[in-house]
Amino acid sequence: MTRLPVTIISGYLGAGKTTLINRLLAEDHGLKLAVIVNDFGAVNIDDALIQDADGGKIALTNGCVCCTMGDDLALALRDVLNRPERPDHLVIEASGISDPVAIANSVLNESGLSYGGIVSLVDAENAESLLNDPLLAPQAEQQIRAADLVIATKCNDLTAELSALLDKAGARTPTVLNGSPVAELLFDVVPLPKGRAVAAHPAYTTWQHRSSTVLDRRALGDKLAARPTGLYRMKGFVLTTGGAYELHVVGRHVEAKRCAAEETVLVGLGPADRISRDEIEAWWAA
């Protein structure tokens, strides 16, 4: 059975995690999402979306479901995996003061789950005071450094001052969503090319590659290690001198496993304000 991908939404108190999750639940992405949240009281779900509410679960009319985390994350994860109707993707809202790496480790230790990335939100209006506060900054910086993708909220663009703050805190691929669809960036919805172009929202850069070239296996490792930071997601199959590999890249995380493939077929995606198709092509061709 295909493993269930998991995306972790992190960020300090008031960064906008609940707002982002509400956007995900309301978007017309066609995915059945399972969302594990800290507290239903903070998730202001549109009443028109709620189909049924029963204890620690809320079923939505679009096939999505919300569950409260409770005291045992591992138990909540297994509960999602054991649901009669398996979701397409699991989203975990981390508490504002939690370590997202600990949650990611729980995901990686569960054989039925696959890592879909840590996304950390940063409140642009309060970033300067937060990241300069000697008491609070270590916690916020930990969440930023751990992230595969950093999204600045409550702003329309990344100013030079905000970019400098995020860079100093160790942010990878900082971007701003504004009104762009969230699911296209966070979830594995870019299909492998099948004779037609992938039409993505203008806010995101997409890239496709298909060839019969066989790469040196060690050279592939070096290439992936040198990938541009703006390339947030990549998936597909690669032919190497050591055999074919199925490849999944999410931010800092790379997973490669042997597979049966007859050609190299790859797709990639990243925020358009962080990377261009030409930059991805130049990296891969080098």
Side-chain angles (χ1 to χ4, degrees), residues 262-282:
E262 298 180 353
E263 61 179 340
T264 293
V265 183
L266 294 166
V267 293
L269 181 146
D273 62 351
R274 307 304 300 180
I275 196 165
S276 69
R277 186 177 292 115
D278 289 343
E279 287 175 307
I280 303 174
E281 187 61 42

Side-chain angles (χ1 to χ4, degrees), residues 6-12 17 73 92-108 115 117-121 138-148:
V6 181
T7 298
I8 300 160
I9 308 296
S10 177
Y12 200 71
K17 299 184 294 297
L73 175 60
I92 300 175
E93 179 196 8
S95 74
I97 56 174
S98 66
D99 175 11
V101 174
I103 297 175
N105 287 336
S106 295
V107 170
L108 291 168
Y115 180 76
I118 295 172
V119 178
S120 287
L121 308 188
Q139 181 87 59
E141 289 175 350
Q142 179 189 40
Q143 295 169 345
I144 291 171
R145 286 194 305 269
D148 298 291

